[in-house]
Amino acid sequence: MTIAIMQPYIFPYIGYFQLINAVDKFIIYDDVNFINKGWINRNNILVSGQPHLFTVPLKDASQNKLIREVALAQGEPWQKKFLKTIQQSYQKAPYYEKVFVLIEEIVNLEVNTIHELTHSALEITCAFMDIRTEIIPSSTRYNNTELKGQERILDICKQENASHYINPIGGMELYEKDRFAKEGIRLSFIKSVASPYPQFKNAFVPWLSVIDILMFNDQENISKHLKAYELI
């Protein structure tokens, strides 16, 4: 059993989906503290050949709240504005029509929290990309919030009888391979490899939201992008 654990992000970059695709179970870390100015409720798309940051507005977001407790802002017509930006930026992309329907479905979901939105968005997008990994919110099981950092990750691994835990490359200073090995668990870090693709006639801009890859690639090429990584 191979697992990964990550905070939920809205329309994250391809590396996030590479991680999901690489494991048997993906745990959404929704009962940890919200991160201000992180990627939970925002990401970059391509606008006029340049990265453009979009943000899903939240109500009283705070690092003193758990991610699952943070509500979406009500009464702000962000969906209409966001969809219009997508339309203006990508309407000439080869796979615009199918992908726009996907995005429209997600942003118009009747949900109240950023966790509900990101969880649903991940499941819908994974289905679109033919990723079949089981996705589990950490708040629905485990009951180990008293543990912190590496020890909580290890406890989740043991509860799932995991033999292999994969973490994004940014966690190399946080997790120790020897500590995992003592519990009989292999620890690997996933490192995405930049894989350019045509973005109209612009110079290639890497690591944008998955929206960008979906707009410019068919299913065969999406599958190739999902495998463009190395485990360390």
Side-chain angles (χ1 to χ4, degrees):
M1 170 73 71
T2 303
I3 71 170
I5 303 169
M6 275 288 289
Q7 294 98 335
Y9 296 163
I10 188 68
F11 295 119
Y13 86 122
I14 188 62
Y16 194 102
F17 290 95
Q18 290 170 344
L19 181 60
I20 297 176
N21 194 50
V23 300
D24 302 303
K25 287 187 180 180
F26 182 80
I27 290 93
I28 297 175
Y29 225 10
D30 67 327
D31 54 357
V32 294
N33 290 86
F34 181 82
I35 301 170
N36 286 328
K37 297 183 179 180
W39 298 106
I40 294 170
N41 66 316
R42 61 184 194 161
N43 214 298
N44 285 299
I45 56 174
L46 190 71
V47 175
S48 300
Q50 299 296 321
H52 171 81
L53 187 69
F54 69 84
T55 302
V56 176
L58 305 175
K59 179 182 179 182
D60 301 326
S62 165
Q63 295 188 170
N64 295 320
K65 291 182 178 181
L66 301 180
I67 293 171
R68 63 183 174 84
E69 297 172 335
V70 177
L72 298 171
Q74 300 298 321
E76 294 189 40
W78 69 272
Q79 294 96 332
K80 186 175 180 180
K81 181 180 178 182
F82 177 63
L83 290 171
K84 184 162 185 154
T85 300
I86 294 292
Q87 181 184 32
Q88 292 174 338
S89 302
Y90 289 105
Q91 60 186 339
K92 294 183 180 180
Y95 302 99
Y96 166 77
E97 290 187 9
K98 286 201 308 183
V99 178
F100 186 81
V101 170
L102 172 82
I103 298 167
E104 191 173 36
E105 176 188 358
I106 290 169
V107 301
N108 287 325
L109 288 168
E110 294 184 5
V111 293
N112 297 312
T113 66
I114 188 61
H115 160 65
E116 292 174 310
L117 179 61
T118 51
H119 183 186
S120 296
L122 283 177
E123 291 194 326
I124 293 169
T125 308
C126 281
F128 186 87
M129 299 171 75
D130 198 27
I131 298 173
R132 303 178 185 183
T133 303
E134 182 181 2
I135 298 176
I136 305 166
S138 58
S139 60
T140 62
R141 58 179 80 177
Y142 309 122
N143 297 315
N144 60 0
T145 53
E146 75 282 358
L147 299 175
K148 303 299 178 186
Q150 179 172 257
E151 295 309 310
R152 189 175 181 204
I153 299 295
L154 278 165
D155 186 69
I156 293 173
C157 287
K158 287 188 282 186
Q159 288 192 48
E160 290 288 355
N161 293 315
S163 57
H164 191 188
Y165 175 70
I166 303 179
N167 198 81
I169 194 73
M172 288 190 75
E173 296 182 0
L174 301 175
Y175 304 118
E176 303 164 3
K177 290 198 174 188
D178 289 346
R179 178 71 182 88
F180 277 75
K182 286 180 181 178
E183 303 292 342
I185 301 167
R186 177 187 170 199
L187 170 63
S188 298
F189 298 94
I190 191 168
K191 181 180 179 182
S192 297
V193 177
S195 182
Y197 51 88
Q199 293 169 324
F200 302 123
K201 296 181 180 180
N202 304 305
F204 179 67
V205 180
W207 314 131
L208 299 174
S209 163
V210 70
I211 290 170
D212 194 78
I213 277 186
L214 297 181
M215 287 289 185
F216 292 108
N217 292 273
D218 61 15
Q219 188 61 52
E220 183 178 354
N221 281 323
I222 288 169
S223 296
K224 291 178 181 177
H225 286 295
L226 286 171
K227 297 173 184 175
Y229 64 83
E230 57 182 308
L231 292 182
I232 298 171

